[in-house]
Amino acid sequence: AFPPPPPPAPAPAPSPAAADKVDDDDDEEAEAAPAPVSTPGAPIRVRTAGGREAIVLEKMQRGWFRVELDQNANDEGGAGERKSMRRPHGFAPGQDHLLDAAPQAAFVPKPKGSGSSKGRKSSVQQSGPGPVPVGAVQAITAGGRGAPIPGREQRGR
C-alpha cells in the first residue's frame, strides 16, 4: 500500500587526490559499527563483561542465558566452557537487541508429586523408631511424642 522507496543517489566520483589515498582503516570501522542482528539459525555472538566472545545458546527465565565462551580462558571461565550468565551483569552493555533475539529455552514443568519434598511435611503419618520393648522407659520429645530410651528399663515394677 506504500509507494516504493526512491532509488539511492549515485555516489560522487572520488577526486584524483582521494583516488591515490589507500583506505587502511577498514578494521577500525568494522569494530566501531554495532553488531547486526544475526539471521535466523545463525549463532548469536555477544561480548561478555570481561570482553570475551560468547555464543548465546538459549534464553532462559528471569534474565538468564546459556552461553558457550570462546577459546580464551580467563577468570570468566575456561576455553569453550558452557555456562549460564545473567543480564546485565555478565554481558557488555549495548547488546540487548542481540540477547532478545536468542531462542527461548523450552520450559518443562515438573509433574506434581515427583521429586523431593524439601521442607514440606508429608501427608503420610511417619511412625516412631520401631516397636517398644515391654518395660522400656519412654521420654517425651520436644514435639510431644514418646520415644524409647535404649538400654533403660523401668525400675520398680
Side-chain angles (χ1 to χ4, degrees):
F2 293 106
S15 67
D20 295 335
K21 189 176 173 183
V22 177
D23 187 14
D24 289 330
D25 58 357
D26 286 339
D27 296 333
E28 292 172 4
E29 289 176 9
E31 289 176 336
V37 175
S38 59
T39 58
I44 297 173
R45 297 179 186 276
V46 294
R47 289 275 174 204
T48 65
R52 289 181 65 178
E53 184 176 283
I55 297 174
V56 180
L57 302 173
E58 62 184 359
K59 178 175 23 175
M60 300 184 298
Q61 294 182 340
R62 295 183 176 92
W64 286 90
F65 295 85
R66 183 152 339 270
V67 300
E68 182 175 334
L69 298 175
D70 61 13
Q71 298 302 312
N72 303 321
N74 67 5
D75 59 339
E76 285 185 314
E81 180 180 344
R82 289 185 176 206
K83 63 185 290 185
S84 296
M85 298 177 78
R86 190 163 190 188
R87 184 190 340 205
H89 311 292
F91 300 101
Q95 303 181 101
D96 289 341
H97 64 289
L98 294 172
L99 294 170
D100 291 338
Q104 183 71 40
F107 175 71
V108 180
K110 292 182 180 177
K112 294 195 179 208
S114 69
S116 64
S117 57
K118 294 179 184 176
R120 291 188 225 131
K121 288 192 173 187
S122 176
S123 61
V124 176
Q125 180 66 29
Q126 302 237 342
S127 63
V132 179
V134 176
V137 176
Q138 292 257 334
I140 303 299
T141 64
R145 295 185 303 190
I149 300 175
R152 306 264 325 251
E153 298 294 325
Q154 280 187 346
R155 297 183 192 165
R157 273 198 182 191

